[in-house]
Amino acid sequence: MKITKFGHACVRLEHDGTTVLVDPGAFSDPAALAGAGAVLITHEHMDHFEESRLRAALEADPTLRVWTNAAVAAQLEGVRSRVSVVGEGDAFEVGGIGVSVHGEWHAVIHPDIPRVKNIGFLFDGRLFHPGDAFTVPPHAVDTLLLPLAAPWSKASEVIDYVREAGPRRAVPVHDATLSPIGHAVQTRLLGPDGPGVAGAELRVLGEGESLDLG
């Protein structure tokens, strides 16, 4: 099995002629969808699920299939016959790759932000993608795709998650928030369109940019 990262939380798996793509969101390279036989989506947030891009891929390839949770499937009206809804405890196969589903909820970002459903995917019992949660796989895995940086996590939690999951190796994903593109996420959470910080203005400074404090 070979894995290739295509930006943020998007990972492409290739095994015995089967190509599976996980979480091709808005921060991912659109080229990742080319040639994929299946797309798996952990949850509905835009950095994991980009509806228009996925619809275009489904229209371009009538054999492409999607596995995801009910919330994402509800946004894919018109192509639902090619979308399978799965949840905690389910199992299925994609081209000979066994997939089991684990987890139910997105990690807590803030008590004022409603949680959404989130599922993780375990491939052939050895590679686990948890989505946006610290879901511990049912047994120690060979490879854990590790959410490295997110508005819902801190370094101590990342460390404790790896310790509890006990993988042979951890491959960092969910890291766009470490780059300038992550400013958009923080702005949405802390600015007027998010829960915000009462009485405070969010002002993001670019490299070398100054702010006159008066």
Side-chain angles (χ1 to χ4, degrees):
M1 182 180 292
K2 181 175 78 171
I3 60 172
T4 305
K5 187 179 175 186
F6 279 87
H8 195 50
C10 180
V11 176
R12 182 171 178 151
L13 288 69
E14 296 171 272
H15 182 64
D16 285 346
T18 297
T19 300
V20 179
L21 195 67
V22 185
D23 282 0
F27 298 162
S28 306
D29 185 347
L33 282 157
V39 175
L40 279 56
I41 307 290
T42 62
H43 66 287
E44 64 197 86
H45 287 162
M46 59 87 179
D47 55 327
H48 298 256
F49 166 56
E50 213 291 310
E51 180 186 350
S52 61
R53 192 180 295 172
L54 183 54
R55 282 185 179 275
L58 287 164
E59 291 172 3
D61 182 359
T63 67
L64 182 63
R65 292 284 308 279
V66 177
W67 280 264
T68 187
N69 64 21
V72 174
Q75 299 181 48
L76 293 171
E77 290 296 337
V79 290
R80 284 292 299 274
S81 63
R82 295 159 64 190
V83 179
S84 296
V85 175
V86 292
E88 165 72 37
D90 288 337
F92 56 96
E93 282 198 4
V94 180
I97 299 175
V99 185
S100 57
V101 183
H102 306 274
E104 185 177 6
W105 290 102
H106 191 288
V108 175
I109 301 173
H110 187 275
D112 291 347
I113 300 177
R115 295 174 76 185
V116 300
K117 293 297 184 85
N118 176 93
I119 51 179
F121 297 106
L122 177 61
F123 299 91
D124 276 349
R126 58 193 177 111
L127 171 68
F128 187 59
H129 193 312
D132 274 11
F134 289 135
T135 302
V136 177
H139 56 77
V141 295
D142 182 68
T143 303
L144 174 69
L145 297 175
L146 176 65
L148 189 64
W152 47 267
S153 74
K154 56 185 178 182
S156 63
E157 294 172 334
V158 174
I159 293 168
D160 287 346
Y161 178 51
V162 175
R163 287 177 174 176
E164 186 175 3
R168 188 173 72 84
R169 74 165 67 87
V171 176
V173 295
H174 208 285
D175 52 7
T177 50
L178 296 176
S179 68
I181 198 170
H183 288 164
V185 176
Q186 305 301 336
T187 299
R188 188 176 72 253
L189 291 175
L190 299 177
D193 295 330
V197 179
E201 174 195 2
L202 181 69
R203 178 70 179 272
V204 178
L205 296 180
E207 183 70 25
E209 182 181 358
S210 301
L211 175 63
D212 186 356
L213 302 179

